[in-house]
Amino acid sequence: MKMHRNPIRKIWSEGRGVINGWLSIPSPFCAEIMASCGYDSVTIDTQHGAIGYDAMVGMLQALRASGVAPMVRAPWLEPGAIMKTLDAGAWGVICPMVNSRADAERLVSYVRYPPHGCRSFGPTRANFALGGDYAAVADEEVLCFAMIETAEAMNNLEEIVQTPGLDGVYVGPADLTLGLTGRRYRTGFDRDEPEMLEAIHRIRTTAHTAGIRMGLHNGSASYAAKALSWGCDLVTISNDVRLLAQAAQESVAEARRLIAPDHSPTEGTGVLQQTSQASY
């Protein structure tokens, strides 16, 4: 069986941006649900997500049926974890806290087979999930993203993006804001401070000048759409934890509003009827 081609690279070749989902809950069922919602790719977060290796493998299996491109955020710049992630069948790896050209070179070496890197050969699941010719074409298809999220990384940005074999940089706005401004602003995504917008645009421009891609983590669909209009190549919209919490909070708030003493629903409409109409 020949290796399937990376769907993310296909989208880019068509001049489109990638809409990425994000998983932090260790559940194949949750992965299956997210994969059915229209994302181009879905990333499993083994850094801040509550996800270990065994759960990650099950989630990759659940994502396979949907056709979305599975990626994994590695827990750290550590060769064993990154190589096992790729052997498990991820189309790409996003690595946190890459602060220098040397860090980026190490990351690339863990993702690429010799002579381009030092990745050990043993694509145990990737052979089945991604194709029997995986070894021959993996270096061309698997994506390698370095996260830019510290002041040190910003100081070394031009050198990082010039690293041979690096496909892109991925911006973590929460850590980047802490790194560049300390506690001056709120933590989180969807930055609107002038200096943070300047930093994001600088990363995008510098990456594109070097011929590589730029991804951005977002907290809302509206900000993700704005990031695509700026020329970002991949945008993540929130994550499963935040989406679940938001939907639950809105549902409870609506129920409490409807049963409030001063709420007078029109005849024939009530909490139970509205709930029934909204069920699926």
Side-chain angles (χ1 to χ4, degrees):
M1 181 178 66
K2 289 187 176 181
M3 183 178 179
H4 308 298
R5 292 303 181 250
N6 191 328
I8 296 174
R9 292 190 183 275
K10 182 176 186 297
I11 290 171
W12 286 338
S13 72
E14 297 168 350
R16 297 186 289 121
V18 173
I19 297 177
N20 181 56
W22 199 265
L23 295 168
S24 297
I25 300 171
S27 166
F29 185 34
C30 187
E32 189 175 33
I33 293 169
M34 289 282 283
S36 72
C37 292
Y39 296 102
D40 298 312
S41 61
V42 175
T43 298
I44 300 169
D45 184 3
T46 64
Q47 183 194 15
H48 292 304
I51 300 170
Y53 181 79
D54 290 346
M56 180 197 75
V57 172
M59 294 167 75
L60 288 168
Q61 291 173 314
L63 291 173
R64 182 183 181 189
S66 68
V68 305
M71 295 198 296
V72 174
R73 176 160 72 170
W76 209 251
L77 181 56
E78 194 278 314
I82 290 171
M83 293 182 197
K84 282 176 70 68
T85 286
L86 296 176
D87 289 344
W91 269 125
V93 62
I94 300 172
C95 184
M97 296 295 177
V98 174
N99 294 319
S100 66
R101 170 69 177 256
D103 286 347
E105 289 174 344
R106 288 168 55 207
L107 169 61
V108 170
S109 75
Y110 303 155
V111 173
R112 310 299 179 199
Y113 289 119
H116 306 295
C118 63
R119 180 182 171 190
S120 177
F121 183 74
T124 306
R125 180 176 177 271
N127 269 333
F128 296 95
L130 303 181
D133 63 340
Y134 179 85
V137 295
D139 282 355
E140 302 168 8
E141 294 293 330
V142 171
L143 290 168
C144 180
F145 277 95
M147 291 197 72
I148 303 297
E149 49 187 344
T150 67
E152 183 181 358
M154 288 297 291
N155 289 336
N156 296 320
L157 182 61
E158 284 74 13
E159 290 76 21
I160 290 172
V161 299
Q162 294 289 341
T163 305
L166 188 68
D167 293 295
V169 289
Y170 186 89
V171 179
D175 275 322
L176 185 61
T177 303
L178 287 171
L180 295 180
T181 69
R183 293 283 182 175
R184 197 178 341 155
Y185 303 119
R186 64 172 177 85
T187 57
F189 311 127
D190 296 3
R191 311 312 309 189
D192 55 11
E193 304 85 6
E195 59 263 60
M196 294 312 303
L197 289 172
E198 181 182 355
I200 290 169
H201 288 300
R202 179 191 160 204
I203 295 168
R204 184 204 66 241
T205 301
T206 306
H208 287 174
T209 300
I212 66 173
R213 305 289 179 166
M214 184 267 206
L216 178 67
H217 206 104
N218 308 270
S220 65
S222 60
Y223 200 95
K226 184 162 55 175
L228 287 172
S229 75
W230 295 337
C232 293
D233 302 290
L234 180 145
V235 291
T236 298
I237 305 175
S238 194
N239 67 10
D240 53 354
V241 172
R242 291 174 180 270
L243 292 170
L244 175 61
Q246 180 180 356
Q249 289 167 0
E250 291 175 354
S251 178
V252 172
E254 176 68 1
R256 294 194 183 282
R257 184 185 70 79
L258 293 171
I259 63 176
D262 59 348
H263 178 74
S264 301
T266 58
E267 187 173 351
T269 63
V271 176
L272 293 178
Q273 183 174 345
Q274 290 190 21
T275 301
S276 176
Q277 291 171 347
S279 63
Y280 55 91

